[in-house]
Amino acid sequence: MAAAGIVLAGGKGTRMQSGVPKQYMLLDGKPLLYYSLRAFEESDVESVVLVTAEGEEDYCRTELLERYGFAKVTAVTAGGAERHESVWNGLCAAGEPEYVLIHDGARPLVTPELINRVLVQTKSYDACVAGMPVKDTIQMTDEHGVIMLTPKRESLWIAQTPQAFAFSLVYNAYERLMAEPEVKVTDDAMVVGLYGDTPVQMVRGSYTNIKVTTPEDMVLAEVFLRKRYG
């Protein structure tokens, strides 16, 4: 198996202010999670692992995979309490592909073209992250909100997903992380940076590849979707 995707969809979405987990909220008539799965279905990856909240596996099989015919999803597994635990469960369910792409299901605007572009670069670098240069000036402050440092904007990027790696590289890094629960991480590139010796290459993503976190993001995502599909 050349490449597998892991789509993370186990969050509660508390900042969305909705009783429905955000991955199942309707975006232009379909569950938000549908769009990430569709992009992976139409990409060059050979299989997909869907990581859900515990107890939602059967719902996803029926209401997403069967309803929309996502044939590349070969495994549905429950995630953990933290994102890194969910990634680990996904890695354990992925088999042993040569490469793996890890994607947050809350980024519905990902495209097959972006997935393929990241995958191609990963075959050259072994570790790649989709991202975009920041547009705004970023300020670093102390605990009182006083500006301490203004980093040069040209060296700053917004990290996105998918984040892709040679499977053995990211698996071994996460295996070490799981043995050190006190270590706090925020994304997969950070894990590989902490426990691996392979530089992570940034690959240009898209400013529309937003993460849906708040109600305002849903509005913006729907605008982008309608612009894309007319």
Side-chain angles (χ1 to χ4, degrees):
M1 186 194 309
I6 296 174
V7 177
L8 305 174
K12 293 182 172 62
T14 53
R15 284 176 288 181
M16 190 57 72
Q17 303 170 21
S18 171
V20 178
K22 66 181 177 183
Q23 57 268 32
Y24 308 128
M25 293 178 66
L26 293 184
L27 179 62
D28 201 24
K30 293 183 174 64
L32 184 145
L33 180 56
Y34 160 89
Y35 297 97
S36 294
L37 293 175
R38 174 179 171 179
F40 274 87
E41 185 77 17
E42 296 175 356
S43 76
D44 291 338
V45 304
E46 295 181 1
S47 68
V48 176
V49 175
L50 175 58
V51 183
T52 74
E54 188 172 0
E56 295 178 0
E57 301 94 322
D58 289 342
Y59 175 86
C60 286
R61 290 188 184 97
T62 302
E63 298 301 321
L64 284 166
L65 309 187
E66 295 178 10
R67 172 170 293 185
Y68 297 108
F70 292 129
K72 286 188 178 180
V73 180
T74 57
V76 181
T77 188
E82 301 292 337
R83 183 186 186 279
H84 71 275
E85 296 171 332
S86 295
V87 174
W88 174 246
N89 290 356
L91 290 170
C92 291
E96 296 184 4
E98 191 173 358
Y99 301 100
V100 63
L101 295 88
I102 303 167
H103 182 67
D104 291 330
R107 291 187 184 270
L109 278 300
V110 69
T111 63
E113 292 77 18
L114 174 55
I115 293 168
N116 292 342
R117 186 162 69 249
V118 172
L119 176 57
V120 167
Q121 292 300 308
T122 305
K123 291 178 180 179
S124 297
Y125 295 102
D126 281 346
C128 289
V129 172
M132 292 299 289
V134 300
K135 297 179 180 180
D136 300 321
T137 298
I138 304 299
Q139 308 282 10
M140 294 181 63
T141 70
D142 64 13
E143 64 272 21
H144 304 293
V146 177
I147 295 173
M148 304 297 292
L149 176 66
T150 304
K152 292 183 178 181
R153 188 168 57 187
E154 56 267 25
S155 65
L156 298 175
W157 286 61
I158 303 168
Q160 301 177 343
T161 65
Q163 302 192 0
F165 310 90
F167 182 79
S168 58
L169 171 67
V170 69
Y171 184 93
N172 292 338
Y174 265 94
E175 188 173 41
R176 292 179 61 184
L177 173 65
M178 295 302 292
E180 300 180 1
E182 71 280 1
V183 177
K184 303 299 181 184
V185 296
T186 55
D187 74 350
D188 314 301
M190 184 177 179
V191 178
V192 170
L194 285 172
Y195 296 105
D197 56 4
T198 301
V200 181
Q201 179 72 28
M202 189 67 77
V203 178
R204 192 174 183 89
S206 169
Y207 286 118
T208 65
N209 185 26
I210 63 171
K211 185 175 183 180
V212 174
T213 304
T214 65
E216 294 81 7
D217 297 330
M218 286 288 284
V219 175
L220 186 57
E222 187 156 319
V223 170
F224 286 147
L225 275 176
R226 291 183 175 177
K227 183 177 180 181
R228 177 183 297 175
Y229 296 114

